[in-house]
Amino acid sequence: MTASAPTLDVVAIGNAIVDVLARSDDAFLAQHALTKGGMQLIDAAMAESLYADMPQAKEISGGSAANTLAGLAALGKKCGFIGQVNDDQLGEVFAHDVHALGIRFDTPAMKGDVPTARCLILVTPDAQRTMNTFLGASQFLPEAALDLDMIRSAGILYLEGYLWDPEQPRAAMRAAIDAARGAGRKVAFTLSDNFVIDRHRADFIDLIDQGLIDILFSNEGEIQSLAQVDDFDKALARFAGKVPVLVSTRSEKGAVAVVDGTRYEAPAAPVSQIIDTTGAGDLFAAGFLAAHIEGRDVADCLNLGAAAAAEVISHWGARPEADLVVIRDQLFA
């Protein structure tokens, strides 16, 4: 059966999180025993304690997949988001920000005393971001909350690896994969972080081996962790024949894609000053997917991904501030 034409470009399932960003120094990280540049899950008690000690902060709706959608929406793509918030103030902040971007977000807010998730992000002078995430309500996304019609209506289902950790969202994402593939749609997956891979490597490899992932996003460390090798090229080779589009970012070394067995490389886009690396991978995925949706070649996909990532690391926060359409049009002029 031929799939009907999609009415949305991308539907993403991810953590519905409000980012709390503050400038910090290495001494603050050491004082709180935080691993610089990493992401750790914290409980409600630590979230309260760390928040109380943090310097003056800026609150912006975030979450990896939602950041990617923000980039896609800024590039003119039609998007939908599925994620769980609580019926509380931060839940309202998150929903308002998503709707303001023109993204469909209809997941019912949950009641009760599990608050909306937040990520406490400390940015050191070298622009490294150390993330401390309290998942709160986001880890209780039930399968029943999925809008299967919206998933089937989108050309690409985009899944956030971070959300594979809790049991309920993991089951929901498996159901979403079935719905998307049953409708003839593509499934994109981002590995998110080494700690997620360490916990769910077997699951992720099983998804790949079953041919359930069409586009896989990673960074250099993540693909090596998934393959359990220390060599980047060997890691790529491990999965290149099993994923139609395999994409890996390498920070200042640019990015690599292996598409149907052919390897493509692109340099990092120039950036005058790196302010905050939060969201770099998320916006790279947005640029890559936007160009992919537009039917551009792989080099263009990599270059727009790099340009979107360069934009977001040039300022605070994980959402684009410059006009990405202008950046795209200049890039492809």
Side-chain angles (χ1 to χ4, degrees):
M1 187 177 74
T2 304
S4 59
T7 54
L8 291 175
D9 295 306
V10 180
V11 164
I13 302 178
N15 281 312
I17 296 179
V18 176
D19 288 340
V20 182
L21 291 119
R23 289 185 171 88
S24 167
D25 55 22
D26 290 347
F28 184 90
L29 301 184
Q31 176 189 344
H32 291 274
L34 304 177
T35 302
K36 184 175 180 176
M39 199 288 271
Q40 67 168 337
L41 298 177
I42 59 176
D43 59 19
M46 183 172 178
E48 289 185 14
S49 171
L50 185 59
Y51 182 74
D53 285 354
M54 281 174 71
Q56 182 178 0
K58 181 179 179 182
E59 296 184 351
I60 317 165
S61 292
S64 175
N67 291 337
T68 296
L69 289 189
L72 281 160
L75 285 161
K77 305 307 168 214
K78 296 178 181 177
C79 302
F81 180 73
I82 297 171
Q84 189 66 67
V85 296
N86 191 305
D87 185 16
D88 58 14
Q89 185 175 352
L90 283 184
E92 290 179 11
V93 167
F94 182 90
H96 174 271
D97 286 357
V98 172
H99 290 145
L101 296 169
I103 296 168
R104 276 188 60 186
F105 174 48
D106 308 317
T107 311
M110 68 182 290
K111 308 288 185 181
D113 35 345
V114 181
T116 295
R118 73 286 315 266
C119 184
L120 309 179
I121 303 173
L122 297 153
V123 184
T124 40
D126 58 3
Q128 285 291 307
R129 82 281 184 273
T130 302
M131 301 189 294
N132 306 276
T133 304
F134 170 57
L135 288 172
S138 70
Q139 63 190 319
F140 296 103
L141 175 72
E143 185 178 335
L146 296 179
D147 184 337
L148 294 176
D149 287 338
M150 184 167 76
I151 291 167
R152 295 185 187 107
S153 76
I156 298 171
L157 171 68
Y158 182 83
L159 301 175
E160 175 185 326
Y162 283 129
L163 201 55
W164 201 263
D165 215 41
E167 184 177 350
Q168 275 188 292
R170 186 163 65 245
M173 285 196 285
R174 287 190 183 278
I177 290 171
D178 289 344
R181 297 202 71 86
R185 308 309 189 191
K186 292 180 180 178
V187 175
F189 195 97
T190 176
L191 289 173
S192 293
D193 198 281
N194 285 356
F195 91 89
V196 179
I197 296 166
D198 287 342
R199 288 167 62 90
H200 301 289
R201 183 178 290 105
D203 266 5
F204 294 165
I205 291 175
D206 187 52
L207 290 173
I208 291 167
D209 287 346
Q210 289 185 59
L212 297 177
I213 297 176
D214 301 288
I215 305 170
L216 182 67
F217 289 100
S218 67
N219 63 28
E220 187 172 12
E222 290 160 3
I223 198 68
Q224 291 177 190
S225 174
L226 189 67
Q228 293 184 288
V229 297
D230 292 330
D231 183 275
F232 176 67
D233 292 325
K234 288 180 180 177
L236 280 186
R238 166 79 169 78
F239 301 108
K242 297 180 178 181
V243 179
V245 180
L246 177 62
V247 187
S248 193
T249 57
R250 307 184 76 189
S251 299
E252 71 280 358
K253 292 181 283 188
V256 175
V258 182
V259 179
D260 296 328
T262 302
R263 177 168 171 152
Y264 303 83
E265 298 195 34
V271 55
S272 56
Q273 184 180 10
I274 300 174
I275 302 297
D276 171 18
T277 56
T278 309
D282 303 334
L283 268 294
F284 180 91
F288 187 97
L289 287 174
H292 179 78
I293 290 162
E294 292 168 9
R296 298 181 187 273
D297 62 29
V298 181
D300 283 350
C301 293
L302 288 170
N303 286 324
L304 185 55
E311 190 284 331
V312 85
I313 66 175
S314 69
H315 58 75
W316 271 68
R319 301 283 172 89
E321 291 182 358
D323 189 333
L324 293 186
V325 170
V326 171
I327 291 172
R328 179 193 63 194
D329 292 348
Q330 290 173 342
L331 187 66
F332 298 144

